[in-house]
Amino acid sequence: MAFGERQKTVGRVLRQAREDAGLQQIELARLIGKTQGYISKIEGGHQGVDVLLLYDIAIALGNEPAALYTHVVAEIS
């Protein structure tokens, strides 16, 4: 899977996790100190996510960071 496709897959997984947590983009953005537009770019596959941001997102969504990471890796593998 090419980098761009993997980035889109990461965005899709994170969008689903956010929706499963019952949060809007703006709510997640506030919890992690980002803008709604930034979250939109991540979920659309236009903005990458480093491990520290993934950790913050997982915590904000009430997920175990390692579990969210494992889910992301499973989807891009």
Side-chain angles (χ1 to χ4, degrees):
M1 184 181 293
F3 180 80
E5 288 303 312
R6 288 184 298 196
Q7 197 162 293
K8 287 179 184 177
T9 300
V10 170
R12 180 179 49 77
V13 169
L14 294 180
R15 181 184 68 239
Q16 187 62 55
R18 176 185 56 76
E19 290 173 350
D20 289 349
L23 294 178
Q24 298 294 316
Q25 286 181 345
I26 189 69
E27 294 169 315
L28 174 58
R30 287 182 182 143
L31 289 170
I32 64 170
K34 301 293 183 188
T35 65
Q36 180 274 326
Y38 192 82
I39 301 301
S40 179
K41 287 179 182 178
I42 290 171
E43 292 182 358
H46 304 289
Q47 175 66 50
V49 178
D50 66 19
V51 69
L52 297 175
L53 183 57
L54 185 64
Y55 178 89
D56 289 344
I57 290 171
I59 296 299
L61 297 177
N63 291 337
E64 175 61 39
L68 183 59
Y69 179 78
T70 299
H71 186 185
V72 167
V73 170
E75 291 294 320
I76 62 174
S77 295

